[in-house]
Amino acid sequence: FIICINPNATNMKIFLNGEAKEITGSCNLSQALEELSIDLPTRSAVALNAKVISRDMFVHTFLSEEDELLIIRPTFGG
């Protein structure tokens, strides 16, 4: 269950890897990832509006309407 800063906040639209998603407004990045059921592997990264956000900043990074999130997952192969 996600509790954001403003429990009366309305939903907002963001883009996750180019796909529109609805999340609870006034959430930080950590809460939004949990709300979207995204489990990040250890070596993955998250970019917000083309800027990589370090994991220790997830709780301090708040999302706004139409923000663009990019989940970068490691791939293996040769």
Side-chain angles (χ1 to χ4, degrees):
F1 185 75
I2 303 297
I3 300 175
C4 295
I5 288 183
N6 180 356
N8 298 320
T10 60
N11 285 350
M12 67 179 168
K13 179 174 68 173
I14 63 165
F15 294 92
L16 175 63
N17 291 350
E19 184 178 333
K21 300 282 187 180
E22 289 280 328
I23 63 168
T24 304
S26 301
C27 281
N28 64 37
L29 182 53
S30 183
Q31 292 166 324
L33 292 172
E34 185 176 335
E35 184 173 330
L36 294 166
S37 299
I38 296 173
D39 185 31
L40 293 176
T42 303
R43 298 192 185 274
S44 60
V46 176
L48 174 60
N49 299 324
K51 180 181 176 191
V52 174
I53 306 297
S54 63
R55 287 180 188 249
D56 62 332
M57 293 302 296
F58 284 9
V59 296
H60 304 290
T61 304
F62 289 85
L63 301 179
S64 298
E65 182 78 22
E66 299 200 9
D67 273 347
E68 295 184 23
L69 285 178
L70 178 63
I71 307 296
I72 306 160
R73 299 177 194 256
T75 56
F76 301 96

